[in-house]
Amino acid sequence: MTTPALAVIQHFFDPATWTYTYVVYEGDGSPCVIIDSVLNYDPKSGRTTTTSADEVITFVKHHQLTVSWILETHAHADHLTAAPYLQEQLGGKLVIGDHITQVQSVFKGVFNLDAQFDTQGKQFDRLLKEDESLPFGHLSLKALYVPGHTPACMAYEIGDAIFVGDTLFMPDVGTARCDFPGGDAAALYRSIQKIFSYPAQTKLYMCHDYPPADRPPEFMTTVGEEKAKNIHVRDGVSEEQFVQMRTARDKTLEMPTLILPSIQVNIRAGHFPEPESNGIAYLKIPLNAV
């Protein structure tokens, strides 16, 4: 009987966006995946830098890893992905859930993108369906469709770990908002119950942490901890109670600082719009949009 390969999980934290990026691999010299990368962006100047992504690149090269897949859990609204830059430097295929096409269609209208903008996900190398698996070396990941925060959210199961994206936060922070286009609090509740059906010791890796003042950022908890302590959706909270709470709370939240640039870049798999006649690429800001 062959012993299953064990995954090594290395996290990287971007403090400006409270985002965790992960490299998952078997050992030095093995294939790996990268999950939820960050391209640094200054909203005041419109300038991007690659400080966070370069940390990942340094780690991958130091451990002589081969990148198989560069994954997004969803089209993020709070940071720009560095996926194309990582692909250029390290190789690998860009991957997201197949429901990204819904998000692209919605935001093509929001930003009045031209007819050349593809809404079939062709900017990505691979669109994953629910329960589809991707191998990397002796390891593999399984896609878990977890809509609610957006209609296209995927979590990724690797061994005894699940990378939950924005579906769940640390127990003392709660759950993701559901007021973006296509968001659905009831769907999020059911997605969380899917994750909660796993054994209590299953590790859950966060995409973000927004910690209270009395603790530093943390990146991992367990199904058991979430079910016992999550302030929004612990055991005993009904779907009706959750939807009522989530809907009321979302009405009090401001939009993420980087939502306008993030969405326009991330629905393009991290690629910028085509440069205009002066060689500069531009993003749009809808004025007084409903």
Side-chain angles (χ1 to χ4, degrees):
M1 181 176 178
T2 303
T3 302
L6 296 177
V8 180
I9 300 171
Q10 178 64 45
H11 68 276
F12 302 83
F13 184 62
D14 177 62
T17 61
W18 307 93
T19 304
Y20 283 104
T21 297
Y22 298 96
V23 175
V24 186
Y25 63 108
E26 186 179 352
D28 286 4
S30 72
C32 73
V33 299
I34 302 171
I35 302 173
D36 287 337
S37 63
V38 175
L39 181 70
N40 307 109
Y41 178 78
D42 178 7
K44 295 179 180 179
S45 67
R47 300 291 179 88
T48 63
T49 55
T50 59
T51 302
S52 292
D54 287 337
E55 290 183 30
V56 175
I57 291 169
T58 298
F59 179 87
V60 167
K61 289 183 175 180
H62 176 75
H63 291 277
Q64 299 179 307
L65 305 177
T66 302
V67 177
S68 298
W69 311 103
I70 302 171
L71 298 122
E72 306 292 342
T73 52
H74 61 293
H76 307 277
D78 44 27
H79 69 274
L80 282 65
T81 176
Y85 175 70
L86 291 173
Q87 184 179 49
E88 178 185 309
Q89 298 295 316
L90 299 171
K93 301 293 187 181
L94 308 186
V95 182
I96 200 167
D98 63 340
H99 289 268
I100 186 61
T101 56
Q102 293 176 241
V103 177
Q104 290 175 324
S105 295
V106 168
F107 284 104
K108 181 174 184 175
V110 170
F111 292 108
N112 195 32
L113 301 178
D114 63 35
Q116 301 305 311
F117 177 75
D118 178 79
T119 59
Q120 298 302 310
K122 292 181 181 177
Q123 302 87 345
F124 298 86
D125 298 310
R126 184 77 173 262
L127 302 183
L128 281 183
K129 299 181 183 298
E130 182 173 20
D131 294 331
E132 191 173 357
S133 294
L134 290 178
F136 55 107
H138 296 104
L139 298 170
S140 67
L141 66 85
K142 178 182 175 182
L144 305 176
Y145 182 45
V146 287
H149 172 58
T150 80
C153 290
M154 282 287 189
Y156 299 117
E157 177 186 352
I158 304 175
D160 65 348
I162 300 175
F163 298 83
V164 298
D166 284 8
T167 304
L168 281 163
F169 298 139
M170 293 299 292
D172 58 354
V173 178
T175 57
R177 65 194 300 165
C178 298
D179 58 335
F180 298 148
D184 185 322
L188 180 61
Y189 181 88
R190 293 190 290 270
S191 294
I192 291 170
Q193 298 311 308
K194 179 188 290 189
I195 293 171
F196 282 2
S197 71
Y198 280 76
Q201 67 271 21
T202 304
K203 301 181 181 75
L204 303 180
Y205 287 83
M206 307 291 105
C207 182
H208 299 284
D209 188 26
Y210 306 102
D214 60 351
R215 70 164 176 84
E218 298 179 8
F219 61 91
M220 191 270 289
T221 183
T222 66
V223 166
E225 285 288 307
E226 292 280 11
K227 291 175 72 173
K229 299 179 182 178
N230 188 287
I231 59 173
H232 294 165
V233 72
R234 63 189 174 276
D235 277 348
V237 175
S238 69
E239 181 175 325
E240 181 181 1
Q241 290 171 322
F242 176 78
V243 170
Q244 183 178 21
M245 176 282 302
R246 189 69 266 170
T247 302
R249 178 172 173 77
D250 288 348
K251 290 178 180 178
T252 71
L253 301 177
E254 296 181 352
M255 286 292 102
T257 300
L258 299 185
I259 185 170
L260 295 178
S262 293
I263 289 294
Q264 292 178 75
V265 170
N266 294 339
I267 61 174
R268 293 178 165 94
H271 300 288
F272 297 159
E274 287 296 319
E276 298 191 9
S277 59
N278 61 358
I280 298 173
Y282 291 85
L283 299 174
K284 292 185 174 184
I285 300 176
L287 293 177
N288 301 317
V290 177

